[in-house]
Structures are given as structure tokens and as C-alpha cells.
Amino acid sequence: MSTGAAAIEVRGLAHRYHGAEGALQALDRIDLSVADGEFVSLVGPSGCGKTTLLRAIGGLLRVETGEVQVLGVDPEEAQQRRLFGLVSQEPGLLPWRSVEANVRLPLEVTGAAADVRALLTRVGIGEFARYAPRQLSGGMRQRVALARALVHGPRVLLMDEPFGALDELSREAMRLELLRLWESERITVLFVTHSIREAVLLSDRVVVMAPRPGRILDDLRVPLPRPRTDALEETPEFAALVTRIRAVLREAQ
Ligand SMILES: Nc1ncnc2c1ncn2[C@@H]1O[C@H](COP(=O)(O)OP(=O)(O)O)[C@@H](O)[C@H]1O
Ligand SMILES: [Mg+2]
């Protein structure tokens, strides 16, 4: 891939939705740059435009104003070249297809090849290849969604509250699994979450957003050592970062 270019580059992005009650400024003056291999989280209250921003970067939304580039090309081209994978809160699996067949689906569209079994093993569900989605727990279904997002070997992973529908224990397990995966593969991750603690635990940087209009309030570096484990959550450095981000969010209200 083109070296030197940021993995994600957003410049002067603004977007309004037009509805019956008039226009809603979902995003305003968004500048964001994510380096290759970086793990960046977006946090902020519901409605601050996190999903809109992710959709704009993923080429699912044509923005009104501004510029978005993924690895030096526009989102549509990045989409065509399968440069990114997308994981959202709902796994969106086809119920009549097995785990393996769900993960294989994008390959059937592009005609590309991948070792799906190895991929399932990498995300911790190697033994469940032949299961139907309904036979899996919520956490396991999200692993299937993650494997599907990784099937074309993307350089960028866009994750929109991927663990938002999981119970707390599954969520903790998934965080650590994602960390392990990212630490071994160093793909670029842009991760949306409501949870400040989750953002701090995972990220190199936490981008804090506020609503009406959706905007970036702050962009904080997380200088905590890696590899990270949940033991980090007990440290004063971790607590200090969480407190700082809370303060930024409170000021905006
Ligand atoms: N398709 C849409 N049409 C109209 N308004 C929308 C649409 N999608 C989102 N919005 C509005 O835009 C704002 C930002 O939404 P969203 O990006 O989903 O925020 P978040 O993901 O941070 O909760 C919200 O006020 C939401 O109601
Ligand atoms: Mg959202």
C-alpha cells in the first residue's frame, strides 16, 4: 500500500441530514487523521455523530462538505479495493448459513480466496465453523462478524460499538481478544464506543465528541504501555485519563 499516507484522513467534514423538521447538523468541521497501524477510539454521547463519521469514512454516506481519504484514496475506491472491514453492533449474519459460510460470503462476491478456517481460529471460533448463528452466544456471533470483516485482509477496521450489545463479561473477553489481534497484526482501527474505560484500555488516542452540532472536543493521547491487560484498569494513570475525558464531556453539556 502507498506508504506515507495516513490510514484515515478527514478534512473539514460537515454533514446535515434533511428531515421533515428541517436540517440537522450531524457533523461540523471534523478534522481527523489516523496513522497507519494506530488504534483510535471515538467516544461521546448518543447523537454526536459517531456513526455518521464512520459511515462517511466507510463510503456508506456521501458527505456534503469536506474530504475523506482512506490510505490515500477516496472511500468509494477504498471500498472497491476492500481496504477496510466494518463491524457494527449487530452481527448481521444470515441465519440459514453456517458460521463458515457467513464468513465466506464476501469472498463469493469478489471471487477472492482466503483461508476461512484459519481466520475462524484466529478469532477464537475455530471449532464452530459448521454451527448456525442461532447456536452461538452474542459474543461468538460478534467474532463471526469480525472474521467476516477481516476476510479480505483489510488494512483498516471500522468498528461501530461492536461490543455494545454484549453482556459485561463477554465484552471484557472481546476487548482483550481484539487487543491481541491488533497487537499481532497492527491494522488500523477506528473504534466507536460509549464506554470511556473501553476506549482508554484499547486506544493510542481517544477522540472525544459532542452533539448539536456533532464535533470533536478533544483528542487525547493514551501513553499507557502495551501490551495491555485488564490489570491496567486498576492503575492511577488509567483512572486519571478516564477522569480527564469525563471532564471534557461534562464541560460540553
Ligand atoms: N439517516 C438519518 N436521517 C436523519 N437524521 C439522522 C440519520 N442518521 C442519524 N441522524 C441524526 O444525526 C445525529 C447523529 O447521529 P449518529 O451519527 O447516529 O450519532 P451517534 O452514532 O453518535 O449516536 C443524530 O441527531 C441522529 O438523530
Ligand atoms: Mg451510533
Side-chain angles (χ1 to χ4, degrees):
M1 220 21 257
S2 58
T3 47
I8 299 171
E9 191 75 49
V10 176
R11 286 285 154 253
L13 190 152
H15 189 76
R16 283 176 305 175
Y17 290 110
H18 301 274
E21 291 89 38
L24 183 136
Q25 190 82 40
L27 291 174
D28 191 31
R29 280 177 282 174
I30 302 289
D31 292 310
L32 178 67
S33 184
V34 179
D36 202 12
E38 207 174 14
F39 196 123
V40 174
S41 286
L42 301 176
V43 299
S46 209
C48 69
K50 303 181 298 293
T51 294
T52 303
L53 180 53
L54 220 67
R55 287 171 55 82
I57 294 167
L60 301 168
L61 175 83
R62 200 174 284 273
V63 293
E64 284 190 330
T65 313
E67 203 189 340
V68 180
Q69 291 212 317
V70 178
L71 293 159
V73 301
D74 65 46
E76 286 79 15
E77 188 176 342
Q79 171 87 275
Q80 277 162 16
R81 285 158 61 176
R82 308 282 156 172
L83 296 180
F84 47 67
L86 186 66
V87 182
S88 46
Q89 189 167 340
E90 294 302 324
L93 304 175
L94 297 176
W96 58 88
R97 281 192 159 223
S98 68
V99 163
E100 184 176 7
N102 266 285
V103 174
R104 202 175 288 290
L105 187 62
L107 298 172
E108 292 169 12
V109 176
T110 58
D115 188 344
V116 171
R117 287 295 179 116
L119 185 54
L120 293 176
T121 303
R122 246 164 68 211
V123 301
I125 47 171
E127 309 99 281
F128 300 99
R130 292 179 182 284
Y131 279 55
R134 66 168 187 284
Q135 296 174 296
L136 305 181
S137 68
M140 282 155 69
R141 281 189 214 127
Q142 277 306 70
R143 286 168 206 255
V144 181
L146 179 60
R148 188 186 50 198
L150 293 172
V151 78
H152 283 104
R155 294 296 310 136
V156 175
L157 199 52
L158 304 175
M159 306 186 84
D160 193 355
E161 303 195 38
F163 311 145
L166 303 181
D167 63 86
E168 194 51 33
L169 285 178
S170 309
R171 189 167 179 149
E172 280 176 16
M174 289 295 285
R175 275 176 200 160
L176 297 176
E177 292 253 353
L178 178 62
L179 268 177
R180 260 198 322 123
L181 194 82
W182 176 80
E183 275 156 4
S184 69
E185 321 219 345
R186 290 291 162 148
I187 63 180
T188 307
V189 180
L190 186 59
F191 185 92
V192 169
T193 179
H194 274 117
S195 164
I196 298 171
R197 299 179 69 84
E198 184 166 271
V200 172
L201 180 70
L202 295 172
S203 311
D204 296 315
R205 276 163 55 209
V206 178
V207 173
V208 187
M209 295 179 68
R212 288 175 296 278
R215 63 198 187 278
I216 293 177
L217 291 175
D218 209 344
D219 186 335
L220 295 97
R221 201 152 278 289
V222 181
L224 302 173
R226 294 189 185 271
R228 296 188 185 158
T229 63
D230 43 6
L232 192 68
E233 293 196 53
E234 315 303 327
T235 65
E237 292 79 11
F238 183 92
L241 276 161
V242 170
T243 303
R244 233 177 104 194
I245 294 169
R246 285 224 182 91
V248 171
L249 285 166
R250 210 171 309 119
E251 253 174 60
Q253 280 173 359

